[in-house]
Amino acid sequence: MNTKNLELPSYLEKGESVTKTLAAIKEREVVLEVKQLSKTFDSTKGPVTALNDVSFKTHRREFVTVIGPSGCGKSTLIRILAGLETQTHGEVLLDGKAVSGPGPDRGMVFQGYTLFPWLTVKKNVMFGLSCQGKTRATAESEAMQWVDLVGLEKFANAYPDQLSGGMKQRVAIARSLAAQPRILLMDEPFGALDAQTRVRMQEYLMEIWRNIDITILFITHDLDEAILLADRILVLKAHPGEIQEVIEVPVPRPRSSEQLLSPEFLATRQRLEELIHPPLDNDDTKPNMFRMVNVDDDVEPLL
Amino acid sequence: MTFSTSNWFVPRTSLNTVRSRWLTILSFLVPVLIWCIVSYTPFIWHPNIQITEPGSVSYFKTGIQVKRDRFDAEVEKARKASVKIPQGVRVNPVYLPAPHEVAIAFYTSFTTEPKRRSEQWLHESLWHSITVIFWGFFLSSIVAVPLGILCGTYATFSKFHEPFIEFFRYLPAPAFGALAVAILGIHDAPKIAIIFIGTFFQQVLIVANTTRKLDLSLIEASLTLGAKRLQLLFKVVVPGILPDLYRDLRILLGWAWTYLIVAELIGTSSGITWFITQQARYKNFDNVFAAILMIGIIGLFSDIVLSKLGRKLFPWDKTTTKGG
């Protein structure tokens, strides 16, 4: 989408309702706090800094998306938050307490569904509950509520293999939420879905988020998705992965895909484009094109 | 049915049921057919002559087999000397009985009483072999499977056990025969030990590798859902690898049969191997073939049963439902 030639308001301009909502969010307690997080990998060519001095806070029931070019360390960031990788420096605080290692207080939804193929939908959702030592009956009735919530009660006894991608991801969301985490970490959860399903899933997720008390940190590389879902967007840059800018989304809630063409939305999108796709000055991997065939009917007029 | 090549050779696509059924039948029929041709067409192979009339040749006796060129030479000699010419028919060597002979032997070997009182009936020998296999395989599995799973899950177990196991698996199991007899006596114990040694070390490594193939993201997902150590093992790792583990064990059971033949020669010869060697000594090669076939049939049959059972046990597993 080319937004360059449109007369757009500044992405910093917000309506009254948006300003109010954002202020209200800041009043709420901090659920997750990240302090000076750094991560260095050892590679054959020496140490590589994946994340450098990343700090931010998320408040209760806030929806934060993280966006950045590939290789900016956004997946590393969320994996550290989930406790699946360890940071080199810095701290992750959940409700003010430092966390290390994975735990059910930070639910995670992966891009690759990661449902247990040997368990039915219902039993997948029961997994976290029975790990917490709940009785079978309690776990089952609680799980069914979550299965209901994501609208899959008809498929409660189906195996993951029998479900579509979107349905699988709904089960994965239900499974994470059933364990009652403080924050839901989502690592490009809709990345593998087709465009139509993705839009529906975004609406589903907003609906779920509206109805339950959950804070969400959502990683994506899709600009529209980042804006549509978020209260705030953390924009990362690559090499090393650092926070470039935190954007407070000026699009009023409730959101829907119709807002994709609203001025506030486009203004935000334009800003994200600037940040994530900076003009290529000295790109030595630029394709070096020459005509290999005779093309009579010009596909594009020659300059 | 249309016979176009393109439909018979599409990579990794299953054939229609009619075709796959035919091919299954043919896969058994073709070897049998070749065997029949070799056995029943006198001008194909049949390298020996069975003497029906020794004639003037002193060392020919009715019923013995001689090589064809030797026979021809003697016939030529007799003709020149104008003495009685020996006669005979072309036959295959004794060690290749015809299919019908084996088929008959298949039946009679079960109904024939053992020659000596101390000897066993065929079905007793077979049963004996099956119990030896069962114990060897069972004892190996109850140790190797848990150990393999631990090695595949935790690097500590893997690094502590696998290097030695990797070394030990190159030591041929039959090499431990004499040792096993010295320690465990001459009866079934050393035979079970050989099957154990032959199976165990491979089994640990194969189970460990299967465990390592489990999708890491499933383990990660379970950790973010609050699974602790034992829960991780019993609620994720074990069920996650179960269909593959089951397939591994099916394949390893086949290997155990290979070790059986060696194992049964150790100490007092017993079981089906004893039957085979005994019959070969009596030159009852039809019985030998029958017994070998028997092992094949038992192996195939038990594998089919196990694969059918696998489909029932693991309804979510695509590979078991389609293959086998």
Side-chain angles (χ1 to χ4, degrees):
Chain A
M1 202 186 313
N2 189 358
T3 51
K4 292 257 156 51
N5 308 325
L6 287 172
E7 278 298 322
L8 291 172
S10 161
Y11 71 99
L12 297 167
E13 273 172 39
K14 299 179 195 75
E16 203 184 322
S17 72
V18 176
T19 320
K20 230 189 224 167
T21 318
L22 288 168
I25 288 171
K26 279 190 197 127
E27 294 290 300
R28 292 190 212 130
E29 72 218 66
V30 174
V31 171
L32 181 82
E33 184 172 2
V34 176
K35 280 184 179 171
Q36 283 127 35
L37 204 66
S38 297
K39 173 77 180 177
T40 314
F41 290 107
D42 287 320
S43 80
T44 46
K45 291 177 197 159
V48 177
T49 310
L51 287 174
N52 185 32
D53 198 22
V54 173
S55 301
F56 64 90
K57 288 177 188 172
T58 45
H59 298 261
R60 187 168 169 190
R61 298 206 64 194
E62 189 179 13
F63 202 130
V64 176
T65 56
V66 180
I67 195 164
S70 63
C72 68
K74 47 189 194 297
S75 272
T76 310
L77 172 64
I78 205 163
R79 287 176 60 82
I80 292 173
L81 299 184
L84 298 172
E85 274 177 43
T86 46
Q87 64 270 34
T88 322
H89 295 290
E91 259 190 319
V92 179
L93 304 174
L94 191 75
D95 293 322
K97 278 178 245 119
V99 287
S100 68
D105 46 4
R106 286 147 293 144
M108 175 103 162
V109 176
F110 301 80
Q111 181 177 355
Y113 313 126
T114 67
L115 297 180
F116 304 119
W118 59 91
L119 297 179
T120 59
V121 166
K122 184 173 73 187
K123 291 199 171 142
N124 260 288
V125 178
M126 281 165 68
F127 186 92
L129 297 165
S130 49
C131 280
Q132 288 166 15
K134 293 201 172 153
T135 62
R136 206 191 155 78
T138 332
E140 194 164 338
S141 71
E142 270 185 49
M144 275 316 288
Q145 286 176 9
W146 291 102
V147 173
D148 259 345
L149 184 93
V150 294
L152 289 174
E153 61 279 12
K154 274 188 201 149
F155 294 88
N157 292 314
Y159 285 104
D161 196 42
Q162 298 163 291
L163 307 179
S164 69
M167 285 155 98
K168 279 185 206 170
Q169 210 52 297
R170 273 146 72 186
V171 178
I173 292 169
R175 184 179 66 172
S176 294
L177 290 175
Q180 306 217 302
R182 289 290 291 153
I183 187 166
L184 186 63
L185 307 168
M186 304 183 86
D187 187 4
E188 301 198 25
F190 308 145
L193 303 176
D194 61 78
Q196 289 86 344
T197 315
R198 187 187 299 195
V199 171
R200 291 202 51 203
M201 288 298 294
Q202 288 161 356
E203 281 166 4
Y204 255 119
L205 181 62
M206 281 191 283
E207 189 69 35
I208 291 169
W209 174 70
R210 214 171 286 141
N211 288 304
I212 60 169
D213 178 3
I214 188 75
T215 312
I216 299 181
L217 187 87
F218 188 107
I219 287 200
T220 180
H221 59 255
D222 182 308
L223 305 184
D224 291 332
E225 188 169 75
I227 304 164
L228 187 69
L229 297 173
D231 294 314
R232 282 189 304 154
I233 306 173
L234 305 183
V235 187
L236 298 191
K237 72 173 190 60
H239 315 298
E242 282 173 342
I243 295 182
Q244 267 192 99
E245 186 169 334
V246 179
I247 295 177
E248 298 186 321
V249 180
V251 185
R253 290 191 187 272
R255 306 259 174 83
S256 76
S257 47
E258 282 151 35
Q259 288 165 304
L260 247 55
L261 295 173
S262 71
E264 306 92 349
F265 197 102
L266 291 175
T268 316
R269 199 179 197 288
Q270 190 179 36
R271 178 62 185 155
L272 283 182
E273 296 244 23
E274 284 165 19
L275 291 170
I276 290 173
H277 309 297
L280 303 169
D281 298 331
N282 49 353
D283 186 0
D284 50 4
T285 62
K286 226 172 82 175
N288 186 12
M289 279 299 174
F290 52 90
R291 279 236 155 137
M292 297 179 73
V293 287
N294 254 333
V295 183
D296 289 336
D297 52 334
D298 283 330
V299 184
E300 271 175 40
L302 291 169
L303 294 173
Chain B
M1 210 173 6
T2 51
F3 281 84
S4 69
T5 10
S6 63
N7 291 343
W8 286 87
F9 299 100
V10 185
R12 313 209 53 166
T13 310
S14 44
L15 294 167
N16 65 41
T17 35
V18 181
R19 284 180 178 185
S20 51
R21 210 157 279 162
W22 266 108
L23 289 175
T24 309
I25 293 168
L26 279 179
S27 82
F28 282 94
L29 217 55
V30 168
V32 172
L33 214 65
I34 293 171
W35 186 17
C36 285
I37 291 169
V38 172
S39 297
Y40 298 131
T41 23
F43 51 86
I44 292 176
W45 203 38
H46 289 68
N48 292 353
I49 301 286
Q50 189 169 30
I51 309 295
T52 51
E53 165 57 63
S56 59
V57 185
S58 58
Y59 62 93
F60 281 7
K61 288 192 180 65
T62 311
I64 68 157
Q65 290 192 8
V66 291
K67 289 260 180 295
R68 225 160 62 202
D69 47 356
R70 166 68 57 82
F71 181 79
D72 290 345
E74 292 294 350
V75 168
E76 195 61 24
K77 226 195 274 176
R79 195 168 282 150
K80 275 186 186 152
S82 310
V83 287
K84 202 172 178 198
I85 294 166
Q87 275 162 17
V89 287
R90 283 177 70 162
V91 289
N92 279 329
V94 273
Y95 57 77
L96 184 72
H100 74 274
E101 291 171 322
V102 173
I104 293 166
F106 201 90
Y107 173 72
T108 52
S109 56
F110 277 106
T111 53
T112 317
E113 219 175 315
K115 291 205 173 167
R116 276 180 250 143
R117 294 216 65 183
S118 61
E119 295 176 357
Q120 286 181 315
W121 289 75
L122 175 58
H123 63 90
E124 287 173 329
S125 299
L126 270 174
W127 183 246
H128 189 245
S129 294
I130 289 170
T131 49
V132 167
I133 288 244
F134 171 80
W135 283 111
F137 192 74
F138 175 75
L139 292 175
S140 169
S141 299
I142 54 169
V143 188
V145 170
L147 187 59
I149 290 173
L150 286 173
C151 286
T153 313
Y154 300 110
T156 311
F157 278 92
S158 161
K159 283 285 167 274
F160 181 61
H161 290 286
E162 281 186 51
F164 179 73
I165 290 170
E166 197 75 61
F167 155 74
F168 209 103
R169 86 187 166 112
Y170 283 101
L171 310 182
F176 292 90
L179 200 60
V181 170
I183 298 169
L184 296 164
I186 55 166
H187 295 292
D188 285 351
K191 305 180 205 310
I192 292 171
I194 293 301
I195 292 177
F196 182 94
I197 294 169
T199 315
F200 179 79
F201 299 97
Q202 317 282 350
Q203 204 171 16
V204 174
L205 297 178
I206 287 176
V207 172
N209 270 334
T210 298
T211 309
R212 273 185 214 110
K213 270 189 249 156
L214 179 69
D215 192 354
L216 179 64
S217 63
L218 292 182
I219 293 177
E220 290 182 340
S222 72
L223 289 172
T224 65
L225 291 166
K228 295 282 174 298
R229 257 161 216 232
L230 281 183
Q231 288 170 332
L232 183 78
L233 220 47
F234 289 105
K235 295 182 74 153
V236 184
V237 176
V238 173
I241 65 165
L242 218 48
D244 287 324
L245 180 66
Y246 186 81
R247 250 192 306 277
D248 289 346
L249 293 189
R250 259 173 62 198
I251 293 166
L252 282 159
L253 186 59
W255 292 9
W257 275 95
T258 338
Y259 284 107
L260 175 77
I261 303 299
V262 182
E264 284 184 335
L265 289 172
I266 285 163
T268 51
S269 176
S270 72
I272 191 72
T273 315
W274 169 82
F275 182 85
I276 290 172
T277 39
Q278 198 72 357
Q279 293 303 316
R281 205 167 289 155
Y282 299 144
K283 292 214 157 79
N284 295 334
F285 288 102
D286 43 357
N287 283 353
V288 171
F289 273 79
I292 291 172
L293 277 181
M294 208 86 67
I295 297 177
I297 289 168
I298 292 172
L300 185 67
F301 183 74
S302 57
D303 196 62
I304 289 173
V305 169
L306 289 176
S307 118
K308 289 251 150 65
L309 188 67
R311 287 184 219 186
K312 280 269 166 341
L313 287 174
F314 315 115
W316 69 87
D317 186 53
K318 270 189 287 182
T319 36
T320 31
T321 346
K322 277 180 191 157

